[in-house]
Amino acid sequence: MKIQQFVVIGLGRFGSSLALELMDLGYEVLGLDKNEEIVNDLSDQLTHTVVADATDEEVLKSLGIRNFDCGIVAIGDDIQMSILAAILLKELGVQTVVAKAISILHGRALEKLGVDRVIFPERDMGIRVAHQLVTPNLVDYIEISKDYSIVEMTVPATLDGRTLNEVNTRTRFGCSIVALHRPGGIIIAPTAMDKLQTGDIMVIIGSNVNIDRFEKEAADIN
Ligand code: ADP
């Protein structure tokens, strides 16, 4: 299978962290930034690096940008540059274009240009941290739509040794435990007779309202 190739435009805090993580995950990454120092710092950690202005169409063409599976515009502060780079990636035919927005309006402009996915790292991280602060058992969560999410939650001590049948989240709370992470393995689609253990992480799917109720009441189930 062909290894997916990513081009990351702008290697600031967000772009460089994204690029390095993609490398760790085994993908090929071209990092581009107009700042030579930043590029030099990363040159031996990414597949390819280039010092260039992302709004220079000829440079992007000569790099064969259209052959990349995914382009990420990680320029934040300079909205004009971010928008121009996103337009060029789309026009040059990068399959999927992702762009970071620093404000709602910036995000809306990127969406109008046909950017496939707009991300708001600071806003999303703020929301995520707020959820984690008020729900001590919450490990992580993914929004699957406005009203539904998948969350990862540690098993409270009170549920140690209880079967899924006893906890019965589906009837009590309207949400389902779809997997259990435990040291040494993951149980996908656990059965009613599988037992929860302290230290397990439950993967739960449901409406936000129902998951929220489960999070708040899980420790008091008897
Ligand atoms: P962060 O908040 O993630 O650090 P910044 O917006 O501060 O993001 O950094 C964006 C990076 O994008 C900087 O390294 C900057 O040099 C780079 N950059 C900005 N405009 C361009 C451009 N036109 N072409 C290439 N790189 C750019």
Side-chain angles (χ1 to χ4, degrees), residues 178-212:
V178 291
L180 288 172
H181 281 279
R182 67 176 45 147
I186 178 164
I187 306 173
I188 301 286
T191 68
M193 297 323 289
D194 276 312
K195 281 188 179 156
L196 297 174
Q197 293 173 7
T198 317
D200 285 355
I201 293 173
M202 304 177 276
V203 182
I204 304 155
I205 187 164
S207 71
N208 295 339
V209 175
N210 287 339
I211 290 176
D212 197 44

Side-chain angles (χ1 to χ4, degrees), residues 4 19 25 58 61 80 85 89-90 114 131 137 156 165 169 192 196 198 205 209 220:
Q4 271 204 62
L25 292 170
E58 291 312 311
K61 273 189 187 155
Q80 184 177 334
L89 291 192
K90 282 305 288 181
H131 277 265
N137 287 330
N165 189 37
T169 54
L196 297 174
T198 317
I205 187 164
V209 175
D220 301 322

Side-chain angles (χ1 to χ4, degrees), residues 6-12 14-20 22 29-33 46 50 65 68 70-75 89:
F6 293 84
V7 53
V8 179
I9 308 276
L11 299 170
F14 175 72
S16 59
S17 141
L18 180 87
L20 291 169
L22 287 168
V29 180
L30 166 65
L32 181 151
D33 201 291
L46 304 180
V50 57
I65 285 292
F68 283 82
C70 180
I72 301 108
V73 180
I75 302 171
L89 291 192

Side-chain angles (χ1 to χ4, degrees), residues 104-154:
I104 297 294
L105 216 52
H106 182 194
R108 249 194 263 160
L110 289 166
E111 270 165 14
K112 290 243 185 298
L113 299 173
V115 164
D116 301 282
R117 181 159 170 217
V118 178
I119 41 179
F120 299 85
E122 285 89 358
R123 185 197 68 176
D124 293 349
M125 189 48 92
I127 294 173
R128 196 167 286 263
V129 171
H131 277 265
Q132 285 166 345
L133 288 176
V134 298
T135 319
N137 287 330
L138 186 70
V139 180
D140 206 353
Y141 78 97
I142 307 167
E143 238 174 37
I144 45 180
S145 75
K146 196 167 69 61
D147 299 320
Y148 289 84
S149 304
I150 296 174
V151 306
E152 287 186 340
M153 205 175 118
T154 52

